[in-house]
Amino acid sequence: MSLKNPYGDFEITDPQALRALAHPVRLAVLGHLQRHGPATATQLSPHVGATPSVVSWHLRHLASFGLVTDWDGATNRRERWWQAAAKGFRFNLPDDADGQNAARQLQGEMFAQSAELPQQWLLHDEPRLDTGWRRAAGLANTRIMLTAEEMQQLKDDVEALIARYVQRPEAEAPAGARGVRLLQYVLPEPDGDEQTEA
């Protein structure tokens, strides 16, 4: 597994790791660590809807794939502290059927967890923002005609544009900066005569 990409994301290639991350609690645990930094199982528990002992088990499972690691910056050594191995993760659709099935499971769980984010933002976060931030927020649903190669190039171009913000340490962000959630879906449409691959 590698961190060699513009975002410094953890790259998952092992189908077992894809399947492990497709569990809703494990995905929520990793997401919380990536957004909020190191935490204990007890601290994560109310955010992921599981008891501390269950969260601890899931953390150890994530650690077996290198997705989370022990954090040595804690001043309290009585509890085990965990951190995400990277700010984000990524995976490509594997070539084999087993890997493709595992990737689809993870995609399904990721879609399920992110489906509520825009509505929750609209109901709870957007009303609390000042006018400047509300105007800067955006939503688009654009359909374009691309080849598979052009679509990959577009994704690479967007990634290159955003990478400098992803990689910038929070401590180096300019005054007035705040966390911004950027959701990106790239969803090709099948042709009418395209058949589902076995």
Side-chain angles (χ1 to χ4, degrees):
M1 300 189 194
S2 163
L3 296 175
K4 296 177 181 175
N5 54 70
Y7 289 177
D9 285 346
F10 194 96
E11 293 187 359
I12 305 172
T13 56
D14 180 359
Q16 288 184 326
L18 293 172
R19 250 188 223 91
L21 197 50
H23 189 283
V25 172
R26 286 193 282 268
L27 190 58
V29 163
L30 182 59
H32 195 276
L33 290 174
Q34 288 171 335
R35 288 187 68 207
H36 302 287
T40 66
T42 300
Q43 292 168 335
L44 290 165
S45 176
H47 301 287
V48 300
T51 65
S53 60
V54 169
V55 172
S56 182
W57 185 87
H58 286 304
L59 283 161
R60 290 191 304 274
H61 197 64
L62 289 170
S64 71
F65 295 104
L67 291 160
V68 300
T69 61
D70 285 304
W71 184 56
D72 58 5
T75 55
N76 178 358
R77 301 284 183 195
R78 291 186 300 156
E79 286 192 287
R80 189 172 186 181
W81 285 72
W82 297 89
Q83 65 182 352
K87 286 184 180 179
F89 68 89
R90 65 179 60 208
F91 59 96
N92 291 318
L93 191 64
D95 294 329
D96 62 292
D98 184 49
Q100 290 178 11
N101 185 40
R104 283 191 192 98
Q105 288 175 1
L106 178 52
Q107 285 173 328
E109 189 57 41
M110 290 174 69
F111 278 133
Q113 288 199 6
S114 63
E116 293 182 15
L117 287 174
Q119 191 65 28
Q120 293 300 316
W121 175 83
L122 186 64
L123 292 174
H124 302 290
D125 297 335
E126 192 268 353
R128 298 178 2 215
L129 296 172
D130 65 38
T131 303
W133 280 104
R134 288 202 317 267
R135 284 187 179 137
L139 173 67
N141 183 349
T142 306
R143 183 179 185 272
I144 53 180
M145 295 294 289
L146 300 171
T147 65
E149 293 77 18
E150 287 174 326
M151 186 175 73
Q152 184 60 54
Q153 185 61 56
L154 178 61
K155 287 170 53 184
D156 291 346
D157 291 346
V158 169
E159 188 169 271
L161 181 66
I162 297 168
R164 67 182 175 136
Y165 301 105
V166 174
Q167 294 177 354
R168 179 175 65 193
E170 286 189 20
E172 295 176 15
R178 64 172 60 184
V180 174
R181 183 71 70 96
L182 183 65
L183 303 179
Q184 178 183 335
Y185 297 106
V186 180
L187 307 173
E189 301 169 347
D191 287 336
D193 57 353
E194 200 164 1
Q195 298 296 316
T196 303
E197 294 181 9

